[in-house]
Amino acid sequence: MKQYQFEVGQKVYLELGVNRSRYEGREYTQGEVTKVGRKYVTVEIGFREYQFDHTNELRQKTDYSQDYYLYETLEALLDERGRKKLAEELTSYFSSTYNLKMKLTLEQMQRIKEIINE
């Protein structure tokens, strides 16, 4: 499990959940750490504070779907968004055996298999 190191006053970045991004028209925002406990880190966004469990993959403490997804840096947020987008593209490409058989050579398919086996 990854260890997160937060400090009071640290600037953090938050990706907006589906419901938030729909109404706010943006994809991420910045917040500030106001408290750090053994289990939760509290982040102020605007005038409200939200708690995130830093022992459980930075999940927001809520009974409903998450409004925000917490990241320590903007780079970490952008990396994760890039990974999600690339995963969607790869999934759509590899979901059809037609693409594999007709668009890739045997050597390309063997290189892909080697990468997967790393």
mmCIF file of all heavy atoms in Angstrom, residues 7-42:
data_model
loop_
_atom_site.group_PDB
_atom_site.id
_atom_site.type_symbol
_atom_site.label_atom_id
_atom_site.label_comp_id
_atom_site.label_asym_id
_atom_site.label_seq_id
_atom_site.Cartn_x
_atom_site.Cartn_y
_atom_site.Cartn_z
ATOM 1 N N GLU A 7 1.036 17.483 4.609
ATOM 2 C CA GLU A 7 1.366 18.462 5.632
ATOM 3 C C GLU A 7 0.317 19.559 5.605
ATOM 4 O O GLU A 7 -0.196 19.909 4.534
ATOM 5 C CB GLU A 7 2.740 19.073 5.371
ATOM 6 C CG GLU A 7 3.881 18.082 5.427
ATOM 7 C CD GLU A 7 5.221 18.714 5.096
ATOM 8 O OE1 GLU A 7 5.268 19.958 4.904
ATOM 9 O OE2 GLU A 7 6.210 17.977 5.019
ATOM 10 N N VAL A 8 0.012 20.122 6.759
ATOM 11 C CA VAL A 8 -0.936 21.226 6.834
ATOM 12 C C VAL A 8 -0.416 22.381 5.989
ATOM 13 O O VAL A 8 0.760 22.729 6.042
ATOM 14 C CB VAL A 8 -1.146 21.660 8.300
ATOM 15 C CG1 VAL A 8 -2.013 22.908 8.378
ATOM 16 C CG2 VAL A 8 -1.769 20.523 9.095
ATOM 17 N N GLY A 9 -1.290 22.947 5.174
ATOM 18 C CA GLY A 9 -0.916 24.054 4.296
ATOM 19 C C GLY A 9 -0.500 23.611 2.901
ATOM 20 O O GLY A 9 -0.344 24.438 2.009
ATOM 21 N N GLN A 10 -0.314 22.314 2.700
ATOM 22 C CA GLN A 10 0.100 21.786 1.393
ATOM 23 C C GLN A 10 -1.012 21.964 0.370
ATOM 24 O O GLN A 10 -2.186 21.746 0.651
ATOM 25 C CB GLN A 10 0.432 20.296 1.543
ATOM 26 C CG GLN A 10 0.786 19.604 0.257
ATOM 27 C CD GLN A 10 1.042 18.109 0.470
ATOM 28 O OE1 GLN A 10 1.132 17.633 1.596
ATOM 29 N NE2 GLN A 10 1.155 17.397 -0.616
ATOM 30 N N LYS A 11 -0.656 22.381 -0.833
ATOM 31 C CA LYS A 11 -1.595 22.481 -1.942
ATOM 32 C C LYS A 11 -1.742 21.099 -2.566
ATOM 33 O O LYS A 11 -0.750 20.425 -2.844
ATOM 34 C CB LYS A 11 -1.114 23.469 -3.008
ATOM 35 C CG LYS A 11 -0.955 24.882 -2.504
ATOM 36 C CD LYS A 11 -2.282 25.497 -2.132
ATOM 37 C CE LYS A 11 -2.072 26.933 -1.686
ATOM 38 N NZ LYS A 11 -3.181 27.448 -0.939
ATOM 39 N N VAL A 12 -2.983 20.663 -2.774
ATOM 40 C CA VAL A 12 -3.264 19.366 -3.389
ATOM 41 C C VAL A 12 -4.232 19.591 -4.544
ATOM 42 O O VAL A 12 -4.841 20.659 -4.672
ATOM 43 C CB VAL A 12 -3.867 18.371 -2.370
ATOM 44 C CG1 VAL A 12 -2.834 17.972 -1.338
ATOM 45 C CG2 VAL A 12 -5.104 18.931 -1.704
ATOM 46 N N TYR A 13 -4.371 18.586 -5.378
ATOM 47 C CA TYR A 13 -5.231 18.696 -6.550
ATOM 48 C C TYR A 13 -6.298 17.621 -6.495
ATOM 49 O O TYR A 13 -6.061 16.510 -6.028
ATOM 50 C CB TYR A 13 -4.395 18.582 -7.828
ATOM 51 C CG TYR A 13 -3.473 19.768 -7.961
ATOM 52 C CD1 TYR A 13 -2.222 19.754 -7.366
ATOM 53 C CD2 TYR A 13 -3.891 20.909 -8.609
ATOM 54 C CE1 TYR A 13 -1.388 20.855 -7.436
ATOM 55 C CE2 TYR A 13 -3.062 22.017 -8.688
ATOM 56 C CZ TYR A 13 -1.823 21.989 -8.102
ATOM 57 O OH TYR A 13 -1.020 23.080 -8.169
ATOM 58 N N LEU A 14 -7.487 17.984 -6.933
ATOM 59 C CA LEU A 14 -8.620 17.083 -6.846
ATOM 60 C C LEU A 14 -9.323 16.996 -8.191
ATOM 61 O O LEU A 14 -9.642 18.025 -8.799
ATOM 62 C CB LEU A 14 -9.613 17.586 -5.795
ATOM 63 C CG LEU A 14 -8.999 17.727 -4.403
ATOM 64 C CD1 LEU A 14 -8.763 19.177 -4.088
ATOM 65 C CD2 LEU A 14 -9.850 17.061 -3.376
ATOM 66 N N GLU A 15 -9.527 15.776 -8.639
ATOM 67 C CA GLU A 15 -10.314 15.545 -9.844
ATOM 68 C C GLU A 15 -11.776 15.525 -9.418
ATOM 69 O O GLU A 15 -12.120 14.907 -8.400
ATOM 70 C CB GLU A 15 -9.921 14.216 -10.481
ATOM 71 C CG GLU A 15 -10.650 13.946 -11.774
ATOM 72 C CD GLU A 15 -10.166 12.681 -12.448
ATOM 73 O OE1 GLU A 15 -9.555 11.820 -11.784
ATOM 74 O OE2 GLU A 15 -10.405 12.561 -13.647
ATOM 75 N N LEU A 16 -12.618 16.193 -10.165
ATOM 76 C CA LEU A 16 -14.022 16.252 -9.815
ATOM 77 C C LEU A 16 -14.715 14.959 -10.214
ATOM 78 O O LEU A 16 -14.461 14.415 -11.288
ATOM 79 C CB LEU A 16 -14.706 17.430 -10.505
ATOM 80 C CG LEU A 16 -14.526 18.788 -9.834
ATOM 81 C CD1 LEU A 16 -13.087 19.231 -9.834
ATOM 82 C CD2 LEU A 16 -15.392 19.821 -10.493
ATOM 83 N N GLY A 17 -15.577 14.459 -9.329
ATOM 84 C CA GLY A 17 -16.370 13.275 -9.626
ATOM 85 C C GLY A 17 -17.396 13.590 -10.702
ATOM 86 O O GLY A 17 -17.569 14.742 -11.123
ATOM 87 N N VAL A 18 -18.105 12.582 -11.137
ATOM 88 C CA VAL A 18 -19.066 12.730 -12.236
ATOM 89 C C VAL A 18 -20.100 13.800 -11.934
ATOM 90 O O VAL A 18 -20.381 14.663 -12.762
ATOM 91 C CB VAL A 18 -19.760 11.382 -12.533
ATOM 92 C CG1 VAL A 18 -20.859 11.552 -13.556
ATOM 93 C CG2 VAL A 18 -18.754 10.361 -12.983
ATOM 94 N N ASN A 19 -20.681 13.767 -10.748
ATOM 95 C CA ASN A 19 -21.720 14.745 -10.415
ATOM 96 C C ASN A 19 -21.173 16.157 -10.328
ATOM 97 O O ASN A 19 -21.793 17.102 -10.807
ATOM 98 C CB ASN A 19 -22.396 14.366 -9.097
ATOM 99 C CG ASN A 19 -23.208 13.105 -9.226
ATOM 100 O OD1 ASN A 19 -23.703 12.788 -10.303
ATOM 101 N ND2 ASN A 19 -23.333 12.368 -8.132
ATOM 102 N N ARG A 20 -20.009 16.335 -9.718
ATOM 103 C CA ARG A 20 -19.405 17.670 -9.599
ATOM 104 C C ARG A 20 -19.032 18.245 -10.956
ATOM 105 O O ARG A 20 -19.302 19.399 -11.244
ATOM 106 C CB ARG A 20 -18.146 17.616 -8.746
ATOM 107 C CG ARG A 20 -18.392 17.619 -7.311
ATOM 108 C CD ARG A 20 -18.525 19.045 -6.825
ATOM 109 N NE ARG A 20 -18.880 18.937 -5.427
ATOM 110 C CZ ARG A 20 -19.550 19.821 -4.755
ATOM 111 N NH1 ARG A 20 -19.921 20.936 -5.326
ATOM 112 N NH2 ARG A 20 -19.849 19.630 -3.511
ATOM 113 N N SER A 21 -18.351 17.460 -11.787
ATOM 114 C CA SER A 21 -17.874 17.980 -13.068
ATOM 115 C C SER A 21 -19.035 18.344 -13.978
ATOM 116 O O SER A 21 -18.943 19.262 -14.783
ATOM 117 C CB SER A 21 -16.942 16.980 -13.755
ATOM 118 O OG SER A 21 -17.620 15.785 -14.047
ATOM 119 N N ARG A 22 -20.139 17.644 -13.844
ATOM 120 C CA ARG A 22 -21.311 17.941 -14.664
ATOM 121 C C ARG A 22 -21.835 19.345 -14.374
ATOM 122 O O ARG A 22 -22.223 20.073 -15.270
ATOM 123 C CB ARG A 22 -22.404 16.907 -14.384
ATOM 124 C CG ARG A 22 -23.636 17.091 -15.226
ATOM 125 C CD ARG A 22 -24.709 16.079 -14.893
ATOM 126 N NE ARG A 22 -24.174 14.734 -14.880
ATOM 127 C CZ ARG A 22 -24.685 13.747 -14.159
ATOM 128 N NH1 ARG A 22 -25.725 13.952 -13.386
ATOM 129 N NH2 ARG A 22 -24.159 12.545 -14.207
ATOM 130 N N TYR A 23 -21.829 19.747 -13.090
ATOM 131 C CA TYR A 23 -22.392 21.031 -12.713
ATOM 132 C C TYR A 23 -21.385 22.165 -12.706
ATOM 133 O O TYR A 23 -21.745 23.314 -12.889
ATOM 134 C CB TYR A 23 -23.056 20.925 -11.335
ATOM 135 C CG TYR A 23 -24.210 19.962 -11.345
ATOM 136 C CD1 TYR A 23 -24.169 18.790 -10.615
ATOM 137 C CD2 TYR A 23 -25.331 20.207 -12.124
ATOM 138 C CE1 TYR A 23 -25.220 17.892 -10.635
ATOM 139 C CE2 TYR A 23 -26.385 19.313 -12.161
ATOM 140 C CZ TYR A 23 -26.326 18.159 -11.416
ATOM 141 O OH TYR A 23 -27.365 17.280 -11.449
ATOM 142 N N GLU A 24 -20.115 21.844 -12.497
ATOM 143 C CA GLU A 24 -19.121 22.907 -12.395
ATOM 144 C C GLU A 24 -18.417 23.194 -13.705
ATOM 145 O O GLU A 24 -17.765 24.215 -13.844
ATOM 146 C CB GLU A 24 -18.106 22.566 -11.301
ATOM 147 C CG GLU A 24 -18.733 22.573 -9.925
ATOM 148 C CD GLU A 24 -17.722 22.449 -8.823
ATOM 149 O OE1 GLU A 24 -16.539 22.738 -9.057
ATOM 150 O OE2 GLU A 24 -18.124 22.067 -7.700
ATOM 151 N N GLY A 25 -18.485 22.297 -14.680
ATOM 152 C CA GLY A 25 -17.913 22.547 -15.996
ATOM 153 C C GLY A 25 -16.400 22.534 -16.059
ATOM 154 O O GLY A 25 -15.803 23.073 -16.976
ATOM 155 N N ARG A 26 -15.745 21.944 -15.087
ATOM 156 C CA ARG A 26 -14.294 21.822 -15.117
ATOM 157 C C ARG A 26 -13.931 20.415 -14.672
ATOM 158 O O ARG A 26 -14.770 19.675 -14.175
ATOM 159 C CB ARG A 26 -13.618 22.863 -14.240
ATOM 160 C CG ARG A 26 -14.086 22.838 -12.814
ATOM 161 C CD ARG A 26 -13.547 23.970 -12.017
ATOM 162 N NE ARG A 26 -14.254 24.013 -10.744
ATOM 163 C CZ ARG A 26 -13.797 24.551 -9.676
ATOM 164 N NH1 ARG A 26 -12.631 25.144 -9.679
ATOM 165 N NH2 ARG A 26 -14.488 24.538 -8.563
ATOM 166 N N GLU A 27 -12.677 20.052 -14.820
ATOM 167 C CA GLU A 27 -12.299 18.674 -14.563
ATOM 168 C C GLU A 27 -11.500 18.486 -13.273
ATOM 169 O O GLU A 27 -11.499 17.410 -12.705
ATOM 170 C CB GLU A 27 -11.519 18.136 -15.746
ATOM 171 C CG GLU A 27 -12.372 18.109 -17.007
ATOM 172 C CD GLU A 27 -11.598 17.708 -18.232
ATOM 173 O OE1 GLU A 27 -10.377 17.500 -18.127
ATOM 174 O OE2 GLU A 27 -12.212 17.604 -19.282
ATOM 175 N N TYR A 28 -10.807 19.527 -12.833
ATOM 176 C CA TYR A 28 -10.081 19.417 -11.565
ATOM 177 C C TYR A 28 -9.983 20.774 -10.900
ATOM 178 O O TYR A 28 -10.235 21.814 -11.509
ATOM 179 C CB TYR A 28 -8.702 18.786 -11.750
ATOM 180 C CG TYR A 28 -7.739 19.572 -12.607
ATOM 181 C CD1 TYR A 28 -6.910 20.537 -12.046
ATOM 182 C CD2 TYR A 28 -7.639 19.340 -13.968
ATOM 183 C CE1 TYR A 28 -6.017 21.247 -12.825
ATOM 184 C CE2 TYR A 28 -6.751 20.042 -14.751
ATOM 185 C CZ TYR A 28 -5.947 20.994 -14.179
ATOM 186 O OH TYR A 28 -5.064 21.697 -14.949
ATOM 187 N N THR A 29 -9.640 20.741 -9.616
ATOM 188 C CA THR A 29 -9.530 21.963 -8.831
ATOM 189 C C THR A 29 -8.384 21.799 -7.834
ATOM 190 O O THR A 29 -7.823 20.723 -7.694
ATOM 191 C CB THR A 29 -10.860 22.273 -8.104
ATOM 192 O OG1 THR A 29 -10.782 23.570 -7.525
ATOM 193 C CG2 THR A 29 -11.170 21.248 -7.025
ATOM 194 N N GLN A 30 -8.069 22.878 -7.154
ATOM 195 C CA GLN A 30 -6.986 22.867 -6.178
ATOM 196 C C GLN A 30 -7.584 23.044 -4.782
ATOM 197 O O GLN A 30 -8.570 23.757 -4.605
ATOM 198 C CB GLN A 30 -6.005 23.985 -6.469
ATOM 199 C CG GLN A 30 -4.775 23.977 -5.598
ATOM 200 C CD GLN A 30 -3.801 25.085 -5.985
ATOM 201 O OE1 GLN A 30 -4.188 26.065 -6.592
ATOM 202 N NE2 GLN A 30 -2.558 24.922 -5.621
ATOM 203 N N GLY A 31 -6.976 22.392 -3.800
ATOM 204 C CA GLY A 31 -7.400 22.532 -2.415
ATOM 205 C C GLY A 31 -6.191 22.685 -1.514
ATOM 206 O O GLY A 31 -5.046 22.628 -1.969
ATOM 207 N N GLU A 32 -6.466 22.874 -0.218
ATOM 208 C CA GLU A 32 -5.379 23.028 0.747
ATOM 209 C C GLU A 32 -5.631 22.106 1.941
ATOM 210 O O GLU A 32 -6.743 22.036 2.463
ATOM 211 C CB GLU A 32 -5.305 24.476 1.235
ATOM 212 C CG GLU A 32 -4.167 24.724 2.190
ATOM 213 C CD GLU A 32 -4.067 26.190 2.589
ATOM 214 O OE1 GLU A 32 -4.510 27.056 1.828
ATOM 215 O OE2 GLU A 32 -3.530 26.443 3.679
ATOM 216 N N VAL A 33 -4.591 21.401 2.360
ATOM 217 C CA VAL A 33 -4.688 20.507 3.508
ATOM 218 C C VAL A 33 -4.804 21.351 4.775
ATOM 219 O O VAL A 33 -3.993 22.249 5.012
ATOM 220 C CB VAL A 33 -3.455 19.577 3.589
ATOM 221 C CG1 VAL A 33 -3.490 18.735 4.859
ATOM 222 C CG2 VAL A 33 -3.364 18.694 2.355
ATOM 223 N N THR A 34 -5.852 21.077 5.584
ATOM 224 C CA THR A 34 -6.047 21.822 6.821
ATOM 225 C C THR A 34 -5.773 20.978 8.064
ATOM 226 O O THR A 34 -5.443 21.514 9.109
ATOM 227 C CB THR A 34 -7.475 22.392 6.913
ATOM 228 O OG1 THR A 34 -8.414 21.317 6.814
ATOM 229 C CG2 THR A 34 -7.710 23.419 5.827
ATOM 230 N N LYS A 35 -5.933 19.649 7.952
ATOM 231 C CA LYS A 35 -5.666 18.753 9.080
ATOM 232 C C LYS A 35 -5.127 17.439 8.548
ATOM 233 O O LYS A 35 -5.535 16.976 7.490
ATOM 234 C CB LYS A 35 -6.951 18.444 9.861
ATOM 235 C CG LYS A 35 -7.622 19.613 10.503
ATOM 236 C CD LYS A 35 -8.909 19.172 11.159
ATOM 237 C CE LYS A 35 -9.834 20.367 11.340
ATOM 238 N NZ LYS A 35 -11.205 19.963 11.614
ATOM 239 N N VAL A 36 -4.228 16.832 9.327
ATOM 240 C CA VAL A 36 -3.705 15.510 8.992
ATOM 241 C C VAL A 36 -3.803 14.653 10.247
ATOM 242 O O VAL A 36 -3.204 14.967 11.268
ATOM 243 C CB VAL A 36 -2.235 15.568 8.512
ATOM 244 C CG1 VAL A 36 -1.728 14.175 8.194
ATOM 245 C CG2 VAL A 36 -2.102 16.470 7.303
ATOM 246 N N GLY A 37 -4.598 13.588 10.160
ATOM 247 C CA GLY A 37 -4.741 12.669 11.280
ATOM 248 C C GLY A 37 -4.138 11.315 10.948
ATOM 249 O O GLY A 37 -3.514 11.134 9.901
ATOM 250 N N ARG A 38 -4.327 10.348 11.852
ATOM 251 C CA ARG A 38 -3.792 9.006 11.614
ATOM 252 C C ARG A 38 -4.463 8.343 10.420
ATOM 253 O O ARG A 38 -3.836 7.600 9.689
ATOM 254 C CB ARG A 38 -3.990 8.126 12.845
ATOM 255 C CG ARG A 38 -3.011 8.433 13.950
ATOM 256 C CD ARG A 38 -3.171 7.500 15.127
ATOM 257 N NE ARG A 38 -4.488 7.699 15.740
ATOM 258 C CZ ARG A 38 -5.342 6.726 16.012
ATOM 259 N NH1 ARG A 38 -5.029 5.491 15.766
ATOM 260 N NH2 ARG A 38 -6.502 6.993 16.559
ATOM 261 N N LYS A 39 -5.759 8.607 10.227
ATOM 262 C CA LYS A 39 -6.497 7.954 9.150
ATOM 263 C C LYS A 39 -6.950 8.926 8.066
ATOM 264 O O LYS A 39 -6.936 8.591 6.893
ATOM 265 C CB LYS A 39 -7.708 7.222 9.723
ATOM 266 C CG LYS A 39 -8.456 6.421 8.691
ATOM 267 C CD LYS A 39 -9.499 5.529 9.311
ATOM 268 C CE LYS A 39 -10.172 4.734 8.207
ATOM 269 N NZ LYS A 39 -11.093 3.752 8.695
ATOM 270 N N TYR A 40 -7.378 10.114 8.462
ATOM 271 C CA TYR A 40 -7.958 11.052 7.503
ATOM 272 C C TYR A 40 -7.107 12.293 7.314
ATOM 273 O O TYR A 40 -6.471 12.779 8.242
ATOM 274 C CB TYR A 40 -9.360 11.488 7.947
ATOM 275 C CG TYR A 40 -10.363 10.364 7.927
ATOM 276 C CD1 TYR A 40 -10.800 9.779 9.095
ATOM 277 C CD2 TYR A 40 -10.867 9.891 6.718
ATOM 278 C CE1 TYR A 40 -11.719 8.739 9.073
ATOM 279 C CE2 TYR A 40 -11.781 8.854 6.689
ATOM 280 C CZ TYR A 40 -12.205 8.288 7.872
ATOM 281 O OH TYR A 40 -13.096 7.263 7.841
ATOM 282 N N VAL A 41 -7.150 12.809 6.093
ATOM 283 C CA VAL A 41 -6.581 14.111 5.784
ATOM 284 C C VAL A 41 -7.763 14.993 5.390
ATOM 285 O O VAL A 41 -8.658 14.558 4.655
ATOM 286 C CB VAL A 41 -5.506 14.032 4.671
ATOM 287 C CG1 VAL A 41 -6.072 13.470 3.392
ATOM 288 C CG2 VAL A 41 -4.887 15.379 4.412
ATOM 289 N N THR A 42 -7.808 16.200 5.931
ATOM 290 C CA THR A 42 -8.901 17.124 5.643
ATOM 291 C C THR A 42 -8.409 18.180 4.670
ATOM 292 O O THR A 42 -7.353 18.778 4.871
ATOM 293 C CB THR A 42 -9.412 17.792 6.936
ATOM 294 O OG1 THR A 42 -9.792 16.767 7.862
ATOM 295 C CG2 THR A 42 -10.601 18.690 6.668
#
